[in-house]
Amino acid sequence: MRIQNRKSFLKYAVGLFLATFGSGVYFIASTWMLYDLTGDATYTGLFVGIGFLPGLLLNLFFGTIIDRFNRKLLAILSNLVVTAATGIFLGLMQIGILHAWTIIGLHIIVQLSVSLYRPATQAFLAEIFDKNELPKVYSYTGAIGETGSLIGATLGGIILSFINPKYAILFNGIAFLASGILLFLIPHVNQEKVLNSKLKRSSVIADFIDGFQYLKAHPFLIQLFVIMFVGQLVLHSSNGLLSIYVADFLKKSTSLYGILQSTLSIGNIVGGVLTTWFLLTFKNRISIYSLTTVFIGLFLLTFGSYLPLAFTGVFLIGLGTTWLRVLMQSIQQIVTDKTYHGRMASYRMVINQGSVVVGAPILGVIAEKYGANVSYGVLLIPVFMVLLFAVYFAKQKQFVNVIQSITQKEKKQNAG
């Protein structure tokens, strides 16, 4: 691994691992508790969809805040909010106040914090690493983060069979607290070198409007958002539907749920490890092959109740969505002026989360009435539509030029 500033990379990677480990345990525990408590798949769809709603409304302003203030401290703050929310949730469980909307309420707070954490850390990474290293940084940290999710999901399915779910929730709070401490230990970056004087003199409203003007003047970014949103829709919807798929369609227990969730994470990890190879091999066709991989995975989950097909389908979804998200996000950061990193990352999340807010409850209702496998089949429609657009997008001159620049520098570095 040839990355400059390795100490900062290591601290961030370990913190990310801890946070995703806690999230993996938390997601397994909360979705299973919710379905066990209600027996209604509609609540699972609401859990995933409504969880993103506050972030959807606030992301536009989060981007402006990130571009004006210290991105490192904002990321730490988001970690501490998750820890505090976990403590409140445990307190409510202790006094016996636990129902569906309590679980959904915790998830809203967690997702709201993540809505700040992700663009803040992406902008922060763009400050401390060279832009040509970003695809490698994102792919490595993505693989490390998914390893945390893998272990968390695996343990989550196992420990729920033996201990009280509140301890699984407790893991999440402790892990995010430790992640925030490690972020604090990363050397501070002088953001005055990143932000121009115009941003400092302008008002928040002016920055808000300026962000939209920048996006309007750069239609290439809008095309990137179109490609990326379907990856987030499939990934988050698949996570939410998986417990129902296991319980109702496969007729299996929570242990298999944890293993299948782990398989999704394994796909994410393999995708992260192979990102550089994938980029060098397929170049400007990366979005086409990523979406094709996702399409095949969804197809297998829709029409196959045979366990090996289910495992293969889940793995391919993890693999394809990782390639799509990591590479497209890296390209977005490379082509975006540093002054707008926070806003453009937040705008992307508005589109991504908006698709989940609308899509997840609908998929939950479909799963309740027709089965989770049918919901996976419905996801084939947007994936296929964006796949057709990706064929056009692959020929865009700016996209081809960015890919060529990245691959040439990567080849030179490997040769050296």
Side-chain angles (χ1 to χ4, degrees), residues 28-29 32 154-168 171 253-256:
I28 289 286
W32 193 266
T154 302
L155 291 180
I158 294 173
I159 64 178
L160 283 180
S161 302
F162 300 100
I163 68 173
N164 192 303
K166 68 181 181 181
Y167 295 112
F171 286 153
S253 68
T254 180
S255 297
L256 182 67

Side-chain angles (χ1 to χ4, degrees), residues 19-299:
T20 53
F21 167 79
S23 296
V25 176
Y26 152 76
F27 196 88
I28 289 286
S30 56
T31 54
W32 193 266
M33 279 193 301
L34 182 61
Y35 190 63
D36 184 61
L37 184 67
T38 64
D40 189 343
T42 303
Y43 281 98
T44 305
L46 290 172
F47 175 87
V48 178
I50 293 180
F52 283 109
L53 185 58
L56 175 65
L57 300 175
L58 293 174
N59 258 331
L60 298 175
F61 296 98
F62 280 165
T64 302
I65 292 171
I66 291 167
D67 284 337
R68 292 177 66 89
F69 299 102
N70 190 294
R71 293 152 178 181
K72 171 185 168 181
L73 293 181
L74 289 172
I76 295 172
L77 175 63
S78 66
N79 280 353
L80 295 179
V81 170
V82 173
T83 301
T86 301
I88 294 172
F89 182 73
L90 289 173
L92 293 175
M93 288 183 66
Q94 191 67 29
I95 61 177
I97 303 177
L98 179 64
H99 48 74
W101 289 106
T102 306
I103 299 174
I104 293 174
L106 168 68
H107 192 59
I108 288 174
I109 297 174
V110 171
Q111 287 298 333
L112 183 61
S113 301
V114 171
S115 294
L116 176 61
Y117 175 80
R118 287 179 178 172
T121 53
Q122 287 175 9
F124 181 53
L125 291 176
E127 292 177 359
I128 60 179
F129 296 105
D130 183 85
K131 68 177 183 179
N132 292 309
E133 289 185 315
L134 291 179
K136 189 178 296 183
V137 169
Y138 288 150
S139 64
Y140 286 152
T141 55
I144 292 168
E146 292 303 334
T147 301
S149 294
L150 167 63
I151 298 174
T154 302
L155 291 180
I158 294 173
I159 64 178
L160 283 180
S161 302
F162 300 100
I163 68 173
N164 192 303
K166 68 181 181 181
Y167 295 112
I169 301 297
L170 178 62
F171 286 153
N172 190 46
I174 296 174
F176 267 87
L177 177 61
S179 177
I181 293 173
L182 286 169
L183 273 174
F184 178 77
L185 296 176
I186 295 177
H188 175 71
V189 175
N190 185 1
Q191 203 166 358
E192 293 292 338
K193 297 179 180 179
V194 179
L195 306 180
N196 58 30
S197 58
K198 178 182 176 181
L199 187 64
K200 287 296 184 180
R201 291 196 305 265
S202 60
S203 66
V204 173
I205 299 300
D207 293 342
F208 182 80
I209 296 173
D210 184 45
F212 280 104
Q213 292 175 338
Y214 180 85
L215 182 61
K216 182 180 178 181
H218 296 80
F220 178 73
L221 289 172
I222 299 176
Q223 294 177 358
L224 279 173
F225 294 163
V226 171
I227 295 289
M228 283 188 283
F229 96 89
V230 75
Q232 294 290 340
L233 174 63
V234 171
L235 181 64
H236 290 292
S237 298
S238 295
N239 273 325
L241 291 168
L242 201 54
S243 60
I244 309 167
Y245 184 81
V246 171
D248 287 351
F249 187 66
L250 297 180
K251 308 296 184 183
K252 302 296 182 179
S253 68
T254 180
S255 297
L256 182 67
Y257 173 39
I259 295 172
L260 268 178
Q261 190 74 46
S262 301
T263 303
L264 182 66
S265 296
I266 291 172
N268 293 141
I269 294 168
V270 173
V273 171
L274 296 180
T275 294
T276 301
W277 166 84
F278 185 72
L279 175 62
L280 294 175
T281 302
F282 297 107
K283 299 180 176 64
N284 59 305
R285 294 169 293 167
I286 52 177
S287 58
I288 297 174
Y289 285 99
S290 298
L291 288 164
T292 300
T293 302
V294 173
F295 187 91
I296 295 172
L298 289 171
F299 185 87

Side-chain angles (χ1 to χ4, degrees), residues 2 130-133 136 276 279-280 334 401-416:
R2 299 180 181 180
D130 183 85
K131 68 177 183 179
N132 292 309
E133 289 185 315
K136 189 178 296 183
T276 301
L279 175 62
L280 294 175
I334 289 172
N401 290 340
V402 172
I403 294 295
Q404 287 179 345
S405 175
I406 296 173
T407 55
Q408 287 173 0
K409 291 180 179 179
E410 183 65 31
K411 289 178 180 179
K412 286 181 180 179
Q413 188 179 54
N414 291 339

